[in-house]
Short mmCIF file of all heavy atoms in Angstrom, two decimals:
data_model
loop_
_atom_site.label_atom_id
_atom_site.label_comp_id
_atom_site.label_asym_id
_atom_site.label_seq_id
_atom_site.Cartn_x
_atom_site.Cartn_y
_atom_site.Cartn_z
N LYS P 1 -65.68 57.15 -113.84
CA LYS P 1 -65.71 57.32 -112.39
C LYS P 1 -65.87 58.79 -112.01
O LYS P 1 -66.66 59.14 -111.11
CB LYS P 1 -64.43 56.76 -111.76
CG LYS P 1 -64.30 57.04 -110.27
CD LYS P 1 -62.89 56.73 -109.76
CE LYS P 1 -62.70 57.23 -108.32
NZ LYS P 1 -61.32 57.02 -107.85
N GLN P 2 -65.16 59.67 -112.67
CA GLN P 2 -65.21 61.09 -112.36
C GLN P 2 -66.60 61.68 -112.63
O GLN P 2 -67.09 62.52 -111.88
CB GLN P 2 -64.14 61.85 -113.15
CG GLN P 2 -62.71 61.53 -112.69
CD GLN P 2 -61.66 62.11 -113.61
OE1 GLN P 2 -61.85 62.19 -114.83
NE2 GLN P 2 -60.53 62.54 -113.04
N LEU P 3 -67.26 61.22 -113.70
CA LEU P 3 -68.62 61.68 -113.98
C LEU P 3 -69.59 61.14 -112.94
O LEU P 3 -70.47 61.86 -112.47
CB LEU P 3 -69.05 61.24 -115.38
CG LEU P 3 -70.48 61.61 -115.79
CD1 LEU P 3 -70.69 63.13 -115.75
CD2 LEU P 3 -70.81 61.07 -117.18
N LYS P 4 -69.45 59.88 -112.59
CA LYS P 4 -70.32 59.25 -111.60
C LYS P 4 -70.27 59.99 -110.27
O LYS P 4 -71.30 60.17 -109.60
CB LYS P 4 -69.90 57.79 -111.41
CG LYS P 4 -70.52 57.09 -110.20
CD LYS P 4 -69.97 55.68 -110.07
CE LYS P 4 -70.44 55.01 -108.77
NZ LYS P 4 -69.80 55.54 -107.58
N ASN P 5 -69.10 60.42 -109.87
CA ASN P 5 -68.91 61.01 -108.55
C ASN P 5 -69.07 62.54 -108.53
O ASN P 5 -68.88 63.16 -107.47
CB ASN P 5 -67.54 60.62 -107.99
CG ASN P 5 -67.45 59.13 -107.70
OD1 ASN P 5 -68.45 58.47 -107.43
ND2 ASN P 5 -66.23 58.58 -107.76
N LYS P 6 -69.41 63.14 -109.68
CA LYS P 6 -69.68 64.57 -109.69
C LYS P 6 -70.95 64.86 -108.89
O LYS P 6 -71.88 64.07 -108.87
CB LYS P 6 -69.85 65.08 -111.13
CG LYS P 6 -68.58 65.54 -111.79
CD LYS P 6 -68.04 66.84 -111.20
CE LYS P 6 -66.85 67.37 -111.92
NZ LYS P 6 -66.33 68.65 -111.35
N SER P 7 -70.99 66.02 -108.26
CA SER P 7 -72.14 66.37 -107.43
C SER P 7 -73.39 66.57 -108.27
O SER P 7 -73.32 66.99 -109.43
CB SER P 7 -71.85 67.65 -106.63
OG SER P 7 -71.77 68.78 -107.51
N ASN P 8 -74.54 66.29 -107.66
CA ASN P 8 -75.81 66.49 -108.36
C ASN P 8 -76.00 67.95 -108.77
O ASN P 8 -76.57 68.23 -109.83
CB ASN P 8 -76.97 66.04 -107.47
CG ASN P 8 -77.04 64.53 -107.34
OD1 ASN P 8 -76.64 63.80 -108.24
ND2 ASN P 8 -77.56 64.05 -106.21
N THR P 9 -75.54 68.86 -107.93
CA THR P 9 -75.68 70.29 -108.22
C THR P 9 -74.97 70.66 -109.51
O THR P 9 -75.51 71.35 -110.37
CB THR P 9 -75.11 71.13 -107.06
OG1 THR P 9 -75.73 70.74 -105.83
CG2 THR P 9 -75.33 72.61 -107.32
N TRP P 10 -73.72 70.17 -109.66
CA TRP P 10 -72.94 70.48 -110.86
C TRP P 10 -73.58 69.84 -112.09
O TRP P 10 -73.67 70.48 -113.14
CB TRP P 10 -71.50 69.98 -110.70
CG TRP P 10 -70.62 70.36 -111.87
CD1 TRP P 10 -69.88 71.51 -111.99
CD2 TRP P 10 -70.43 69.62 -113.08
NE1 TRP P 10 -69.23 71.51 -113.21
CE2 TRP P 10 -69.54 70.36 -113.89
CE3 TRP P 10 -70.91 68.39 -113.55
CZ2 TRP P 10 -69.13 69.92 -115.14
CZ3 TRP P 10 -70.50 67.97 -114.80
CH2 TRP P 10 -69.62 68.71 -115.59
N ILE P 11 -74.03 68.61 -111.95
CA ILE P 11 -74.62 67.88 -113.09
C ILE P 11 -75.89 68.58 -113.57
O ILE P 11 -76.09 68.78 -114.77
CB ILE P 11 -74.91 66.42 -112.70
CG1 ILE P 11 -73.59 65.65 -112.53
CG2 ILE P 11 -75.78 65.74 -113.76
CD1 ILE P 11 -73.73 64.27 -111.96
N LYS P 12 -76.77 68.96 -112.65
CA LYS P 12 -78.02 69.64 -113.01
C LYS P 12 -77.75 71.00 -113.65
O LYS P 12 -78.45 71.41 -114.57
CB LYS P 12 -78.91 69.80 -111.79
CG LYS P 12 -79.51 68.49 -111.29
CD LYS P 12 -80.38 68.71 -110.06
CE LYS P 12 -80.96 67.37 -109.58
NZ LYS P 12 -81.80 67.57 -108.35
N LYS P 13 -76.71 71.67 -113.18
CA LYS P 13 -76.38 73.00 -113.68
C LYS P 13 -75.70 72.95 -115.04
O LYS P 13 -75.91 73.81 -115.89
CB LYS P 13 -75.48 73.71 -112.67
CG LYS P 13 -75.15 75.15 -113.04
CD LYS P 13 -74.27 75.79 -111.97
CE LYS P 13 -73.88 77.23 -112.35
NZ LYS P 13 -73.02 77.85 -111.31
N SER P 14 -74.87 71.92 -115.24
CA SER P 14 -74.00 71.89 -116.42
C SER P 14 -74.46 70.94 -117.53
O SER P 14 -73.95 71.02 -118.64
CB SER P 14 -72.58 71.51 -116.01
OG SER P 14 -72.10 72.37 -114.99
N SER P 15 -75.39 70.03 -117.22
CA SER P 15 -75.78 69.01 -118.20
C SER P 15 -77.25 69.13 -118.57
O SER P 15 -78.04 69.72 -117.85
CB SER P 15 -75.50 67.60 -117.67
OG SER P 15 -74.15 67.42 -117.34
N ASN P 16 -77.58 68.54 -119.72
CA ASN P 16 -78.98 68.42 -120.11
C ASN P 16 -79.58 67.17 -119.46
O ASN P 16 -78.95 66.53 -118.63
CB ASN P 16 -79.11 68.37 -121.64
CG ASN P 16 -78.25 67.26 -122.26
OD1 ASN P 16 -77.82 66.32 -121.58
ND2 ASN P 16 -78.00 67.38 -123.56
N VAL P 17 -80.80 66.85 -119.85
CA VAL P 17 -81.49 65.70 -119.26
C VAL P 17 -80.73 64.40 -119.52
O VAL P 17 -80.59 63.55 -118.63
CB VAL P 17 -82.93 65.59 -119.82
CG1 VAL P 17 -83.61 64.32 -119.31
CG2 VAL P 17 -83.74 66.81 -119.44
N LEU P 18 -80.21 64.26 -120.75
CA LEU P 18 -79.47 63.04 -121.10
C LEU P 18 -78.22 62.90 -120.25
O LEU P 18 -77.90 61.80 -119.77
CB LEU P 18 -79.10 63.06 -122.58
CG LEU P 18 -78.36 61.83 -123.12
CD1 LEU P 18 -79.19 60.56 -122.92
CD2 LEU P 18 -78.01 62.00 -124.60
N GLY P 19 -77.48 64.00 -120.05
CA GLY P 19 -76.28 63.96 -119.22
C GLY P 19 -76.59 63.58 -117.79
O GLY P 19 -75.84 62.82 -117.16
N SER P 20 -77.69 64.09 -117.25
CA SER P 20 -78.10 63.75 -115.89
C SER P 20 -78.46 62.28 -115.78
O SER P 20 -78.11 61.61 -114.80
CB SER P 20 -79.29 64.62 -115.47
OG SER P 20 -78.97 65.99 -115.49
N ARG P 21 -79.16 61.76 -116.79
CA ARG P 21 -79.52 60.34 -116.80
C ARG P 21 -78.28 59.47 -116.84
O ARG P 21 -78.22 58.44 -116.14
CB ARG P 21 -80.42 60.03 -118.00
CG ARG P 21 -81.85 60.52 -117.89
CD ARG P 21 -82.61 60.15 -119.14
NE ARG P 21 -83.99 60.60 -119.10
CZ ARG P 21 -84.84 60.48 -120.11
NH1 ARG P 21 -84.45 59.92 -121.24
NH2 ARG P 21 -86.08 60.92 -119.99
N THR P 22 -77.30 59.86 -117.65
CA THR P 22 -76.07 59.09 -117.75
C THR P 22 -75.37 58.99 -116.41
O THR P 22 -74.94 57.91 -115.99
CB THR P 22 -75.12 59.71 -118.80
OG1 THR P 22 -75.77 59.75 -120.07
CG2 THR P 22 -73.83 58.91 -118.91
N ALA P 23 -75.27 60.11 -115.71
CA ALA P 23 -74.63 60.13 -114.40
C ALA P 23 -75.39 59.25 -113.40
O ALA P 23 -74.77 58.50 -112.63
CB ALA P 23 -74.54 61.56 -113.87
N MET P 24 -76.72 59.33 -113.41
CA MET P 24 -77.54 58.52 -112.51
C MET P 24 -77.37 57.03 -112.81
O MET P 24 -77.27 56.21 -111.90
CB MET P 24 -79.02 58.92 -112.63
CG MET P 24 -79.33 60.35 -112.20
SD MET P 24 -79.08 60.62 -110.43
CE MET P 24 -80.55 59.84 -109.78
N GLU P 25 -77.33 56.70 -114.09
CA GLU P 25 -77.18 55.30 -114.49
C GLU P 25 -75.82 54.75 -114.07
O GLU P 25 -75.70 53.58 -113.70
CB GLU P 25 -77.37 55.17 -115.99
CG GLU P 25 -78.79 55.38 -116.48
CD GLU P 25 -79.38 54.12 -117.08
OE1 GLU P 25 -78.65 53.33 -117.71
OE2 GLU P 25 -80.54 53.90 -116.92
N LEU P 26 -74.78 55.58 -114.12
CA LEU P 26 -73.45 55.16 -113.67
C LEU P 26 -73.42 54.87 -112.17
O LEU P 26 -72.58 54.11 -111.68
CB LEU P 26 -72.40 56.23 -114.01
CG LEU P 26 -72.03 56.36 -115.50
CD1 LEU P 26 -71.11 57.55 -115.72
CD2 LEU P 26 -71.37 55.09 -116.03
N ARG P 27 -74.37 55.47 -111.44
CA ARG P 27 -74.49 55.23 -110.00
C ARG P 27 -75.36 54.01 -109.69
O ARG P 27 -75.60 53.70 -108.51
CB ARG P 27 -75.06 56.46 -109.31
CG ARG P 27 -74.15 57.68 -109.39
CD ARG P 27 -74.88 58.94 -108.95
NE ARG P 27 -74.06 60.13 -109.18
CZ ARG P 27 -74.51 61.37 -109.07
NH1 ARG P 27 -75.78 61.58 -108.76
NH2 ARG P 27 -73.70 62.39 -109.29
N GLY P 28 -75.86 53.36 -110.73
CA GLY P 28 -76.67 52.17 -110.53
C GLY P 28 -78.16 52.44 -110.40
O GLY P 28 -78.93 51.55 -110.03
N ILE P 29 -78.57 53.67 -110.71
CA ILE P 29 -79.99 54.04 -110.65
C ILE P 29 -80.56 54.01 -112.07
O ILE P 29 -80.19 54.82 -112.92
CB ILE P 29 -80.18 55.45 -110.03
CG1 ILE P 29 -79.56 55.48 -108.63
CG2 ILE P 29 -81.65 55.82 -109.97
CD1 ILE P 29 -79.45 56.87 -108.05
N SER P 30 -81.46 53.08 -112.34
CA SER P 30 -81.97 52.89 -113.68
C SER P 30 -82.90 54.03 -114.10
O SER P 30 -83.90 54.31 -113.44
CB SER P 30 -82.72 51.56 -113.78
OG SER P 30 -83.17 51.32 -115.10
N CYS P 31 -82.55 54.70 -115.19
CA CYS P 31 -83.35 55.80 -115.73
C CYS P 31 -83.82 55.52 -117.16
O CYS P 31 -84.70 56.22 -117.67
CB CYS P 31 -82.56 57.10 -115.72
SG CYS P 31 -81.95 57.62 -114.11
N ILE P 32 -83.23 54.54 -117.80
CA ILE P 32 -83.53 54.23 -119.20
C ILE P 32 -84.04 52.80 -119.27
O ILE P 32 -83.28 51.84 -119.08
CB ILE P 32 -82.29 54.40 -120.10
CG1 ILE P 32 -81.64 55.78 -119.86
CG2 ILE P 32 -82.66 54.24 -121.56
CD1 ILE P 32 -80.29 55.93 -120.53
N GLY P 33 -85.34 52.63 -119.52
CA GLY P 33 -85.94 51.31 -119.53
C GLY P 33 -85.71 50.57 -120.84
O GLY P 33 -85.29 51.15 -121.84
N LEU P 34 -86.00 49.28 -120.83
CA LEU P 34 -85.90 48.47 -122.04
C LEU P 34 -87.07 48.75 -122.95
O LEU P 34 -88.22 48.80 -122.51
CB LEU P 34 -85.87 46.98 -121.69
CG LEU P 34 -84.62 46.40 -121.03
CD1 LEU P 34 -84.78 44.91 -120.81
CD2 LEU P 34 -83.39 46.68 -121.85
N GLU P 35 -86.80 48.93 -124.23
CA GLU P 35 -87.84 49.14 -125.23
C GLU P 35 -88.03 47.83 -126.00
O GLU P 35 -87.44 47.62 -127.06
CB GLU P 35 -87.46 50.28 -126.16
CG GLU P 35 -87.30 51.62 -125.46
CD GLU P 35 -86.87 52.74 -126.37
OE1 GLU P 35 -86.87 52.52 -127.60
OE2 GLU P 35 -86.50 53.83 -125.88
N THR P 36 -88.86 46.97 -125.44
CA THR P 36 -89.02 45.63 -126.01
C THR P 36 -90.02 45.57 -127.15
O THR P 36 -90.06 44.60 -127.89
CB THR P 36 -89.46 44.64 -124.91
OG1 THR P 36 -90.67 45.12 -124.28
CG2 THR P 36 -88.38 44.49 -123.85
N THR P 37 -90.81 46.61 -127.33
CA THR P 37 -91.74 46.67 -128.45
C THR P 37 -91.34 47.82 -129.36
O THR P 37 -91.20 48.95 -128.92
CB THR P 37 -93.19 46.87 -127.97
OG1 THR P 37 -93.28 48.03 -127.13
CG2 THR P 37 -93.66 45.66 -127.16
N SER P 38 -91.13 47.51 -130.61
CA SER P 38 -90.71 48.52 -131.57
C SER P 38 -91.92 49.29 -132.09
O SER P 38 -92.94 48.71 -132.46
CB SER P 38 -89.97 47.88 -132.74
OG SER P 38 -90.75 46.89 -133.35
N ALA P 39 -91.81 50.61 -132.08
CA ALA P 39 -92.89 51.46 -132.57
C ALA P 39 -92.99 51.37 -134.09
O ALA P 39 -91.99 51.16 -134.78
CB ALA P 39 -92.63 52.91 -132.15
N LYS P 40 -94.22 51.51 -134.58
CA LYS P 40 -94.42 51.51 -136.03
C LYS P 40 -93.69 52.69 -136.66
O LYS P 40 -93.78 53.81 -136.17
CB LYS P 40 -95.92 51.59 -136.34
CG LYS P 40 -96.69 50.28 -136.07
CD LYS P 40 -96.43 49.25 -137.14
CE LYS P 40 -97.30 48.01 -136.94
NZ LYS P 40 -97.02 46.95 -137.96
N ARG P 41 -92.97 52.40 -137.72
CA ARG P 41 -92.22 53.47 -138.38
C ARG P 41 -93.18 54.46 -139.04
O ARG P 41 -94.29 54.11 -139.47
CB ARG P 41 -91.25 52.89 -139.39
CG ARG P 41 -91.88 52.23 -140.59
CD ARG P 41 -90.87 52.10 -141.69
NE ARG P 41 -90.07 50.89 -141.60
CZ ARG P 41 -88.85 50.78 -142.13
NH1 ARG P 41 -88.32 51.79 -142.77
NH2 ARG P 41 -88.19 49.63 -142.06
#
């Protein structure tokens, strides 16, 4: 809850792209899609 409710300014300043995505996803905004096709190794 505390991460979800942190301000966008603080998140952008203090986190990387992954951290920002996590916060957005906790707010119900989808940033990480389903990978239904597996890439060739």
Side-chain angles (χ1 to χ4, degrees):
K1 173 192 170 184
Q2 291 172 325
L3 178 59
K4 168 183 173 287
N5 293 333
K6 270 290 185 180
S7 68
N8 288 330
T9 305
W10 184 90
I11 290 171
K12 289 179 180 179
K13 184 179 178 180
S14 305
S15 302
N16 55 18
V17 175
L18 182 59
S20 299
R21 285 180 180 175
T22 301
M24 296 294 283
E25 290 245 326
L26 288 174
R27 295 168 187 170
I29 303 169
S30 183
C31 303
I32 309 171
L34 288 182
E35 298 177 10
T36 56
T37 55
S38 56
K40 287 284 186 182
R41 67 162 86 205

